[in-house]
Every structure is written in structure tokens, then in C-alpha cells.
């Protein structure tokens, strides 16, 4: 096990009706002037925003609203939020929604305390020294942004090129995450499935490691993956499956607050590859990951056959065959593809609108590390990523 440091400052308040406590909870935290930030309309339609406003009013919280955060949130809107925070002298952010609203709020939180261009945090030019506090009411289990230390934003250049980049800082872990699983009952099946694929991949990015002595945390990882495999079909069949919605919502937070990532070198190649798919095709992040992860697995599985055998047998219940570890490993990957397809996800490049002629652009846009590589479980260069794209043609 590698040395690690983990500080998880987010207060998770979980259960039916917790959104009605938002005003009182913000008051307790001293967040009495906030930007109320949300997405494209789902929270208004469901009545959630009305309940949030009533709770803020009852607690005497001053708030200014900025809606319209798009999936794959854009820098321009965050910059408008930044202006509002400064003009209104606001001291915190309240995001109502999923990863997109929360990430946009995190961007504003960092930018409000910085004299330079907030994009510096996404391009790797600077690290924030301080940030405003962020609270959230979560409406979709997926990105894990409700308690993660990262924010992913897309910037569109004048020529139309989209740069999707992440910024990471312990300063942007939300101070408060209100998590009512009933709020996810209105999710369309496609968004539910996208979220499951994102949560699944947050775990595999950590699980597939070259670090040793990871016995305890490996089992946490497998527990989350098995939970998704068990409950995802149930909530797809019945959107109001209370137990399933609750299990998946909690899995989403645990998968990405790094509790199951400590003590190991993590990978993250699949995420870096996917961010270009979202940038170029504007596909949902989880939908892109459902295509990338199986292809990545098919490319790297021989690197550590034993780990892939373990994945196949513990997560998908594939029967072990000590005489055919490769067959068992491949059966595990096949079961992952079948699982994704059973909940309505596409698993091939073409199904998310991918075009062969875009592959050079998709590869060149990737944020490579200082050595021009990607990932850690297996180090990938452009030639290896090209091969992964080839494997994405299979479903
Ligand atoms: O915009 P509205 O109208 O609210 O609709 C949203 C949106 O269209 C809808 N939705 C959300 N909750 C709903 C609902 N519809 C009905 N009922 C509800 N209860 O779902 C759509 C997707 O929402 P979004 O917030 O975009 O989803 P998600 O949580 O998957 O966030 C995706 C973003 O997070 C980034 C992704 O790259 C992507 O930009 N990520 C952020 C991470 C982080 N900060 O730690 C890590 C992740 O790996 C990821 O990269
Ligand atoms: Zn993700």
C-alpha cells in the first residue's frame, strides 16, 4: 500500500426530503449570500427549485440565481456567474443538479478568489490558493462531484474548438451535499445509465493498479461495482425503485471521493480519452465512458491477467477456470459490455456518433502528461490510444 493523505470535509446529508433543510444548513455554515446555480430545467419542472427557494427564504438567505448550466458545462456561463458573485458580493455557491451544475459552481468558487483568468486552473498554469465554499443538492448520481476535489469545464475557442479540461484542488470539495435519492426518480433511463457507467469507471480507474497490498480497498471497489451490477437493471426497469436509487446514489459519492482510491497509483487513461469524445461530439460523459472502458480493458488485460480474472469472477460472477485465465478475463469484459447494453448504453464508437476521420483530432486533443503519455496501469502513447480506438469499433 502506498502512503496517502485523505481529508473528506463534505457533510453528506442523505435521505428523503433533505433538500428542504438547505436554508437552515447554509445558515449554520455562515453561507448567507449565495449564487443559486442550476441546469437546463429539470429541477424547475420537478418542483425541486421551488422547494429550495422556499427553504432559502425561510432561513433568510440572500441568493441570486443563475440557471442554464449545460451538460459538459461551459466556461462562458461560469464567467457570467463570476461577475454576479463579484457584483453582488456573494460568499458561496449553491449548486442544484449534477456534475455539470456542481462543476460550474466550483469553477466560479475558484475564480472569485483569483485575480487572473480562472482557466489557468484548468490549463495547469496555476493552482487556487483559496476558494468560496460550495454546497449542493444532488439530482443525479454520476460524476461524484458532490464530494470530489475536481471540476471539469469546456472552453470554446473563437474557431469553435472545444477544450474540455479538469482542475483539481482540495479547496473545491463541497462543504455540504444534500442527497435525496427520490430526486433521481425523474431521471430518464439514458441519464440513469450514463451515471452508472461514470460511477463504474471511477472505480475501475482506481482498481486497475500496479500497486500491491491493496486488499482492503480492492474489496471496497468490488463492493461498489457489484452494487451497480445488481441495482442498475432494477432502477432502469422501475425508475422509482427506492432501494436501488438510494444504493446507486451513495455508490456515486463513494466511488469518487477517493475513499476507494487511497494507497494506490491510479490510472485515469479512460477518462482522459473520453473527455475528447465529450469535447468533440458533446456526448454525455458516461455514454462516452461506456465505449472507452471495454476497449481500454481489451487493450490492457494481458498486463495483469490475474487482476482481470479477479474482476471477472468477483464483479460478474464468471466461473473461474485456472487452466484458461485469458478466457475468464475476456468473459469478464464481455459481461461488462452485456451489462452496459442491458441498461441501454451503446458500447461502440459508431453508437456515440464517432467517425473514423475524427480519430487524429480526438487523439491530438488529449491532455498528455509531461512524458507525452497517459495512464499508469499501462502507459499509453498516441499509437496505443489509436489501437484502443480500433477496439472501440466492436460492441
Ligand atoms: O440540465 P438539467 O435540465 O438539470 O438536466 C440534466 C442534464 O440534462 C439531467 N438531470 C439531472 N438530474 C435530473 C435530470 N433530469 C431529470 N431528473 C433529474 N433528477 O441530466 C443531464 C445530465 O446532468 P449532468 O449534471 O450533466 O450529469 P453528470 O452528473 O453526469 O455530470 C457530467 C459532467 O461532470 C463531469 C463530466 O465530464 C461532465 O462534464 N465530471 C465531473 C467530475 C468531478 N467534478 O469530479 C468527475 C467526472 O469524471 C466527470 O468528468
Ligand atoms: Zn467520470
Amino acid at each position: 500500500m502506498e502512503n496517502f493523505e485523505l481529508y473528506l470535509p463534505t457533510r453528506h446529508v442523505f435521505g428523503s426530503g433533505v433538500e428542504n433543510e438547505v436554508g437552515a444548513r447554509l445558515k449554520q455554515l455562515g453561507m448567507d449570500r449565495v449564487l443559486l446555480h442550476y441546469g437546463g430545467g429539470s429541477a424547475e419542472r420537478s418542483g425541486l427549485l421551488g422547494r429550495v427557494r422556499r427553504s432559502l427564504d425561510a432561513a433568510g438567505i440572500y441568493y441570486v440565481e443563475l440557471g442554464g448550466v449545460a451538460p459538459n458545462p461551459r466556461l462562458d456561463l461560469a464567467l457570467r456567474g463570476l461577475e454576479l458573485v463579484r457584483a453582488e458580493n456573494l460568499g458561496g455557491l449553491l449548486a442544484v443538479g449534477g456534475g455539470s451544475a456542481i462543476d460550474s459552481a466550483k469553477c466560479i468558487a475558484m475564480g472569485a478568489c483569483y485575480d487572473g483568468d480562472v482557466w489557468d486552473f484548468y490549463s495547469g498554469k496555476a493552482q487556487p490558493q483559496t476558494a468560496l465554499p460550495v454546497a449542493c443538492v444532488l439530482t443525479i448520481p454520476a460524476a461524484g462531484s458532490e464530494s470530489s476535489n475536481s471540476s471539469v469545464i469546456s472552453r470554446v475557442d473563437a474557431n469553435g474548438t472545444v477544450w474540455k479540461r479538469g482542475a483539481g484542488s482540495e479547496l473545491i470539495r463541497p462543504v455540504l451535499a444534500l442527497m435525496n435519492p427520490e430526486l433521481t426518480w425523474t431521471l430518464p433511463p439514458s441519464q440513469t445509465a450514463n451515471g452508472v457507467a461514470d460511477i463504474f469507471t471511477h472505480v475501475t480507474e482506481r482498481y486497475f493498479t500496479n500497486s500491491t497490498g491493496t486488499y482492503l480497498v480492492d474489496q471496497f471497489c468490488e463492493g461498489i461495482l457489484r452494487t451497480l451490477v445488481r441495482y442498475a437493471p432494477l432502477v432502469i426497469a422501475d425508475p422509482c425503485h427506492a432501494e436501488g436509487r438510494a444504493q446507486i446514489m451513495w455508490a456515486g459519492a463513494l466511488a469518487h471521493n477517493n475513499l476507494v482510491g487511497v494507497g494506490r497509483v491510479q490510472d485515469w487513461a479512460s477518462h482522459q480519452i473520453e473527455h475528447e469524445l465529450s469535447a468533440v461530439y458533446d456526448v454525455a460523459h458516461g455514454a462516452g465512458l461506456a465505449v472507452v472502458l471495454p476497449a481500454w480493458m481489451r487493450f490492457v488485460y494481458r498486463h495483469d491477467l490475474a487482476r482481470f480474472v479477479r474482476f471477472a469472477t468477483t464483479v460478474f460472477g464468471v466461473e473461474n477456470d485456472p487452466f484458461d485465465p485469458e478466457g475468464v478475463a475476456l468473459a469478464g469484459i464481455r459481461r461488462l459490455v452485456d451489462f452496459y447494453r442491458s441498461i441501454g448504453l451503446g458500447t461502440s464508437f459508431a453508437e456515440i456518433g464517432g467517425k473514423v476521420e475524427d480519430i487524429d483530432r480526438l487523439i491530438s486533443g488529449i491532455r498528455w502528461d509531461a512524458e507525452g503519455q497517459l495512464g499508469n496501469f499501462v502507459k499509453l502513447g498516441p499509437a496505443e490510444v489509436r489501437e484502443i480506438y480500433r477496439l472501440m469499433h466492436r460492441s
Side-chain angles (χ1 to χ4, degrees):
M1 184 154 78
E2 316 275 342
N3 293 352
F4 68 87
E5 181 171 335
L6 181 67
Y7 174 57
L8 300 176
T10 309
R11 181 179 299 277
H12 300 85
V13 185
F14 193 101
S16 183
V18 293
E19 67 275 16
N20 298 312
E21 299 174 20
V22 64
R25 297 264 178 191
L26 291 186
K27 193 99 193 160
Q28 265 173 8
L29 290 163
M31 293 172 66
D32 51 10
R33 295 179 67 83
V34 297
L35 184 75
L36 174 57
H37 202 33
Y38 48 86
S42 74
E44 194 77 81
R45 283 193 301 276
S46 68
L48 170 62
L49 270 175
R51 296 199 295 284
V52 167
R53 290 184 190 112
R54 280 195 291 282
S55 175
L56 295 176
D57 289 337
I61 307 286
Y62 177 77
Y63 59 95
V64 176
E65 298 194 20
L66 181 63
V69 182
N72 300 319
R74 303 294 163 127
L75 181 64
D76 336 4
L77 189 78
L79 293 179
R80 267 176 48 206
L82 205 47
E83 278 171 24
L84 280 173
V85 164
R86 288 186 173 139
E88 296 273 350
N89 194 24
L90 304 176
L93 285 298
L94 172 61
V96 176
S100 296
I102 303 170
D103 283 6
S104 185
K106 288 174 171 179
C107 177
I108 299 167
M110 290 187 284
C113 304
Y114 184 58
D115 287 336
D117 179 356
V118 69
W119 188 253
D120 291 348
F121 303 135
Y122 296 85
S123 63
K125 199 168 143 195
Q127 268 294 314
Q129 300 305 312
T130 169
L132 296 180
V134 176
C136 63
V137 178
L138 184 68
T139 63
I140 171 171
S145 189
E146 63 274 17
S147 45
S148 81
N149 62 358
S150 58
S151 158
V152 185
I153 295 289
S154 296
R155 193 193 79 187
V156 188
D157 280 352
N159 66 5
T161 307
V162 181
W163 300 93
K164 182 171 179 175
R165 292 289 182 259
S169 165
E170 291 304 316
L171 296 169
I172 55 173
R173 283 193 197 266
V175 293
L176 175 68
L178 296 170
M179 303 171 67
N180 173 1
E182 290 165 20
L183 298 179
T184 70
W185 294 7
T186 52
L187 279 169
S190 61
Q191 295 296 358
T192 298
N194 293 341
V196 167
D198 195 13
I199 300 168
F200 200 99
T201 314
H202 290 162
V203 175
T204 57
E205 299 278 21
R206 294 167 162 104
Y207 182 75
F208 290 101
T209 179
N210 298 316
S211 302
T212 56
T214 54
Y215 182 84
L216 172 65
V217 175
D218 282 344
Q219 290 180 85
F220 290 164
C221 289
E222 288 156 358
I224 294 174
L225 298 180
R226 279 199 300 268
T227 300
L228 296 173
V229 172
R230 175 183 170 91
Y231 285 103
L234 300 180
V235 299
I236 293 287
D238 172 10
C240 306
H241 194 292
E243 184 186 326
R245 289 296 196 185
Q247 300 293 321
I248 292 175
M249 186 174 247
W250 189 226
L254 290 179
H256 200 40
N257 68 5
N258 215 27
L259 194 67
V260 302
V262 293
R264 62 186 58 216
V265 176
Q266 304 177 11
D267 189 68
W268 296 101
S270 299
H271 266 69
Q272 296 293 351
I273 295 170
E274 194 294 317
H275 281 174
E276 292 316 301
L277 293 174
S278 292
V280 171
Y281 300 125
D282 204 18
V283 289
H285 171 62
L289 287 171
V291 173
V292 176
L293 182 64
W296 175 86
M297 286 182 160
R298 287 182 190 123
F299 184 74
V300 303
Y301 74 93
R302 286 196 184 94
H303 172 72
D304 186 348
L305 214 42
R307 181 139 285 247
F308 272 90
V309 166
R310 177 173 167 164
F311 170 78
T313 53
T314 58
V315 176
F316 285 108
V318 175
E319 195 180 336
N320 199 7
D321 178 353
F323 298 101
D324 184 18
E326 182 158 6
V328 176
L330 285 171
I333 300 170
R334 183 71 240 169
R335 291 284 292 274
L336 171 63
V337 169
D338 293 345
F339 166 59
Y340 279 168
R341 298 196 77 81
S342 76
I343 58 172
L345 288 162
T347 52
S348 71
F349 190 50
E351 283 171 290
I352 52 162
K355 297 193 189 71
V356 177
E357 57 269 30
D358 293 335
I359 290 179
D360 286 339
R361 181 155 64 116
L362 289 162
I363 294 176
S364 67
I366 287 173
R367 186 177 191 164
W368 303 95
D369 67 16
E371 282 78 46
Q373 291 177 318
L374 206 60
N376 286 304
F377 183 63
V378 173
K379 292 275 184 193
L380 308 173
E384 288 78 22
V385 175
R386 187 173 300 280
E387 183 58 19
I388 290 173
Y389 268 102
R390 202 184 60 75
L391 293 166
M392 283 182 213
H393 284 296
R394 285 161 49 182
S395 61

